[in-house]
Amino acid sequence: DRWVLAGVVVAAVVAVDCTFTDGDDHYDLSPLTRMAGEPNFIYDDAGTTWHVNVCADVTDTQCSMPTPVCQELSFDGAFACGVLDTQQISPGGGGGAKGVNVMYSGGDDQPSCPSPRDATLAISCDEQLMDV
């Protein structure tokens, strides 16, 4: 008799709490979380590509450790800019609009950047879509 053992590998994305309340304002960022198989949010900026997943780790990047923000430099490798379990959400946003800042710390360090890398995402609300 021969037995064949077959397994299925399922990619999972572990997410953290993505809600924040500031007075009467309640923010739920979970719709911004990209699940396994969905592309990361990507921003290209003059030789740097940023891969971002709000409230979960990015997938399919060159970063060597799990991270919600991966900085890929065209000239110098890829770096994790914080780890998921350090996430902090605070009031903020950008340009005076209502919103939140999502902060991550404890990322990669290297000789040219001896402190662990961190990231702050300024997420602003579209006031025209609030309370929809």
Side-chain angles (χ1 to χ4, degrees), residues 39-132:
N40 302 315
F41 292 104
I42 296 175
Y43 174 72
D44 288 313
D45 181 34
T48 300
T49 301
W50 296 91
H51 295 260
V52 177
N53 193 357
V54 179
C55 302
D57 288 328
V58 294
T59 58
D60 298 324
T61 69
Q62 297 176 21
C63 277
S64 62
M65 63 187 277
T67 181
V69 180
C70 180
Q71 178 188 25
E72 293 181 352
L73 303 173
S74 61
F75 57 88
D76 194 23
F79 303 97
C81 297
V83 293
L84 188 60
D85 66 0
T86 65
Q87 175 183 286
Q88 295 180 7
I89 302 175
S90 62
K98 286 190 175 191
V100 295
N101 291 325
V102 181
M103 296 159 283
Y104 302 101
S105 60
D108 282 329
D109 55 2
Q110 63 176 22
S112 64
C113 182
S115 298
R117 291 176 187 248
D118 58 11
T120 299
L121 308 175
I123 301 174
S124 299
C125 297
D126 184 336
E127 300 271 346
Q128 296 176 0
L129 298 176
M130 292 184 69
D131 298 324
V132 175

Side-chain angles (χ1 to χ4, degrees), residues 28-40:
D28 180 6
L29 304 178
S30 60
L32 299 176
T33 302
R34 311 303 290 178
M35 301 311 290
E38 295 180 314
N40 302 315

